[in-house]
Amino acid sequence: MSILDRFHLTDHVAIVTGAGRGIGAATAVALAQAGADVVVSARTAEQLEVVAGQIHEAGRRALVVPADLSDTEAVAALAQAAVDEFGRLDTVVNNVGGAMPKEFIKTNVKTLEEAFHFNVSTAHALTRAALPHLLDGDGEKSVVTISSMMGRSAGRGYVAYGTAKGALAHWTRLAAADLAPRIRVNGIFVGSVMTSALDMVAAIPELKEQMEGSTPLGRLGDADDIAAAVLYLASPAGGYLTGKMIEVDGGIQVPNLDLRFPDLG
């Protein structure tokens, strides 16, 4: 067997949340190119259909499930949808999440709880629903979570987002301990990646240059950088990893975007 064969997911079935664009879309296509059929879900059906077309171009099947993934019942239902359509489930990629930056003094309890719900509760709901299907049958079974470098670092304006992503990272470690050895659970601390979330950066050259200059590798990431790491973690290539968070961030140790919220008086 060639070492490259360990990156294959031939005839596996994967779920990718937040798959309409950016990291989720790139991940869904990467898994398909490695041989998986993929359930793609997000809010916007038109975006999902584009991704499904790319999956079909890779020679694999796609199931499009438009849904509000902040609803834990809707996200949990993806597990049964995968089995109903494809007959099995091998990989869950908990990609959906996010929260807008906001200074501490304007971050109320509701904002904090909403960030936790969208980033952690949704991952828990889907993984719990997927569990009996992941345990059904042999072969490589994996869960991958998409966290953020703000879940391991500190910066102004990220108290809700960073707290939620830090919780998601530790959820990953704890779930891995509970689900070993049958199911591997790993995650990614994502750095600054040029998706629609950073459109404002692309529109301001000096801001983009500042961020690139503060990144040891001298560039912002792209969605395929993260998709490649997901493939590694989901495939037999990452078969001796569980409970680990990989840092795919260009080498940054502190945020490379200064939000410049005002100092407290």
Side-chain angles (χ1 to χ4, degrees):
M1 175 185 292
S2 163
I3 190 66
L4 295 180
D5 291 336
R6 299 191 67 172
F7 291 88
H8 291 175
L9 292 172
T10 305
D11 296 330
H12 282 217
V13 173
I15 296 171
V16 181
T17 61
R21 58 185 179 178
I23 291 170
T27 294
V29 173
L31 297 179
Q33 290 172 344
D37 298 322
V38 190
V39 178
V40 291
S41 187
R43 191 185 299 270
T44 306
E46 292 80 4
Q47 293 177 340
L48 292 173
E49 292 294 347
V50 172
V51 176
Q54 295 174 306
I55 291 170
H56 294 149
E57 288 174 4
R60 303 307 307 184
R61 297 174 293 171
L63 175 63
V64 170
V65 185
D68 177 3
L69 297 181
S70 65
D71 181 342
T72 52
E73 291 187 7
V75 76
L78 296 177
Q80 189 62 52
V83 175
D84 289 345
E85 182 74 11
F86 298 128
R88 60 185 289 169
L89 179 58
D90 303 280
T91 295
V92 171
V93 182
N94 290 306
N95 170 66
V96 73
M100 290 298 293
K102 186 180 290 188
E103 58 193 295
F104 185 96
I105 200 168
K106 295 181 180 178
T107 302
N108 58 25
V109 171
K110 181 182 178 182
T111 298
L112 185 67
E113 290 177 345
E114 287 175 345
F116 186 91
H117 176 89
F118 194 37
N119 290 274
V120 185
S121 298
T122 54
H124 185 69
L126 175 53
T127 305
R128 278 195 78 233
L131 185 58
H133 307 300
L134 293 172
L135 291 172
D136 184 18
D138 298 324
E140 195 73 26
K141 305 289 185 171
S142 59
V143 175
V144 182
T145 61
I146 305 300
S147 183
S148 165
M149 64 83 58
M150 291 312 306
R152 62 168 180 81
S153 186
R156 301 184 76 175
Y158 296 102
V159 66
Y161 178 70
T163 298
K165 287 302 190 183
L168 179 61
H170 201 48
W171 178 93
T172 300
R173 301 181 187 101
L174 294 168
D178 279 348
L179 301 181
R182 295 286 301 282
I183 302 167
R184 297 186 300 104
V185 187
N186 295 289
I188 301 172
F189 283 127
V190 175
S192 298
V193 174
M194 281 305 301
T195 65
S196 58
L198 286 184
D199 280 347
M200 66 170 186
V201 172
I204 306 174
E206 57 270 27
L207 187 56
K208 184 170 182 285
E209 290 172 6
Q210 172 214 314
M211 293 182 70
E212 291 171 336
S214 300
T215 303
L217 288 184
R219 69 172 177 89
L220 301 182
D222 61 49
D224 283 340
D225 291 322
I226 310 306
V230 174
L231 176 58
Y232 169 61
L233 293 175
S235 71
Y240 200 49
L241 281 79
T242 197
K244 303 302 179 187
M245 296 295 301
I246 296 180
E247 299 175 10
V248 186
D249 55 18
I252 57 177
Q253 297 301 316
V254 296
N256 56 4
L257 176 61
D258 182 2
L259 294 178
R260 298 189 181 278
F261 287 123
D263 292 333
L264 295 175

